[in-house]
Amino acid sequence: SQQGEEDPQALSIQEGENATMNCSYKTSINNLQWYRQNSGRGLVHLILIRSNEREKHSGRLRVTLDTSKKSSSLLITASRAADTASYFCATHAWNAGNMLTFGGGTRLMVKP
Amino acid sequence: NAGVTQTPKFRVLKTGQSMTLLCAQDMNHEYMYWYRQDPGMGLRLIHYSVGEGTTAKGEVPDGYNVSRLKKQNFLLGLESAAPSQTSVYFCASSFGPEAAPLHFGNGTRLTVT
């Protein structure tokens, strides 16, 4: 079963616009991570936010975490065509051993 | 620096055949994982290892076996392939116990006919 569920499943925007993807999860977590996957490639780690953090930034990426709502969002500002990829959230919970559980992903298309 | 390398990249099997997928990492990571990715399902953990000589079951372990004889290698075996095992398989590794960050290989696309 999937711990995280991304919303929307697919998103199409113009270059320069902002892209927001949401992730909801079901159980208490230790950390939540976001990954990017380009077509035909493996996943690449973007950012990790711990359960006691509310917001983190990395370049054009901004991640928020609301543990009371069991949700997270990933904002990509000033998107570029190169940002076209699938984005996955993944959760780690201490009571799940060393397992990282992934959601189904959001497919982002940035049109030039 | 190669990171995580998976071989082979593609494979077609007939039902009942066996095969082994090899994963090698050169980052001296303790933790290694095998995931499968199916359309609309995200990634699901098959087996993982927290160190040389250890393995543990993940979410979908049935039909698969693994071995971690050397710290840098993690093998995934299919003893009798089934069409339901048609998928893209990803190996990943990580340094610490919080499963973060995971470093992924580029996947093995397996088709079972």
Side-chain angles (χ1 to χ4, degrees):
Chain A
S1 63
Q2 293 174 211
Q3 160 78 310
E5 296 286 345
E6 285 91 341
D7 171 62
Q9 290 186 326
L11 180 62
S12 181
I13 59 175
Q14 294 293 135
E15 207 165 28
E17 295 180 337
N18 295 341
T20 300
M21 289 159 267
N22 303 296
C23 170
S24 60
Y25 57 91
K26 299 173 184 174
T27 62
S28 295
I29 61 171
N30 172 53
N31 69 59
L32 185 145
Q33 305 170 40
W34 285 91
Y35 288 80
R36 182 188 75 228
Q37 183 180 33
N38 291 94
S39 181
R41 308 284 289 182
L43 280 72
V44 174
H45 183 262
L46 295 176
I47 199 164
L48 177 152
I49 187 165
R50 299 187 187 282
S51 59
N52 61 352
E53 298 174 312
R54 292 296 168 258
E55 186 171 313
K56 287 190 82 169
H57 297 258
S58 177
R60 295 183 295 111
L61 305 181
R62 172 177 171 254
V63 169
T64 61
L65 178 65
D66 187 334
T67 53
S68 67
K69 294 181 179 179
K70 293 186 169 60
S71 67
S72 173
S73 66
L74 170 67
L75 169 67
I76 304 174
T77 59
S79 63
R80 305 166 182 168
D83 293 327
T84 294
S86 291
Y87 292 82
F88 295 87
C89 70
T91 55
H92 178 255
W94 285 119
N95 63 2
N98 213 54
M99 294 170 56
L100 191 65
T101 306
F102 285 82
T106 292
R107 296 187 309 278
L108 173 66
M109 176 174 288
V110 182
K111 300 175 184 177
Chain B
N1 190 345
V4 178
T5 303
Q6 291 183 233
T7 54
K9 290 183 171 57
F10 303 93
R11 186 72 186 268
V12 179
L13 288 179
K14 293 186 177 180
T15 298
Q17 289 184 320
S18 64
M19 78 164 295
T20 300
L21 283 68
L22 172 64
C23 176
Q25 53 95 4
D26 62 2
M27 296 171 283
N28 202 35
H29 285 169
E30 289 290 338
Y31 301 80
M32 296 188 74
Y33 313 81
W34 276 105
Y35 284 89
R36 60 178 288 174
Q37 184 176 33
D38 302 293
M41 296 290 291
L43 278 79
R44 292 181 292 170
L45 183 64
I46 304 171
H47 286 281
Y48 65 99
S49 168
V50 300
E52 181 178 317
T54 74
T55 62
K57 293 180 179 180
E59 183 184 357
V60 288
D62 294 343
Y64 305 95
N65 57 75
V66 288
S67 64
R68 183 98 181 268
L69 299 180
K70 293 183 179 180
K71 185 177 183 179
Q72 63 268 33
N73 295 337
F74 196 27
L75 279 63
L76 177 70
L78 286 73
E79 291 185 346
S80 180
S84 61
Q85 294 178 304
T86 293
S87 188
V88 181
Y89 292 86
F90 287 98
C91 176
S93 69
S94 68
F95 178 74
E98 292 182 286
L102 294 190
H103 297 259
F104 282 84
N106 283 324
T108 294
R109 185 174 294 276
L110 175 66
T111 301
V112 183
T113 61

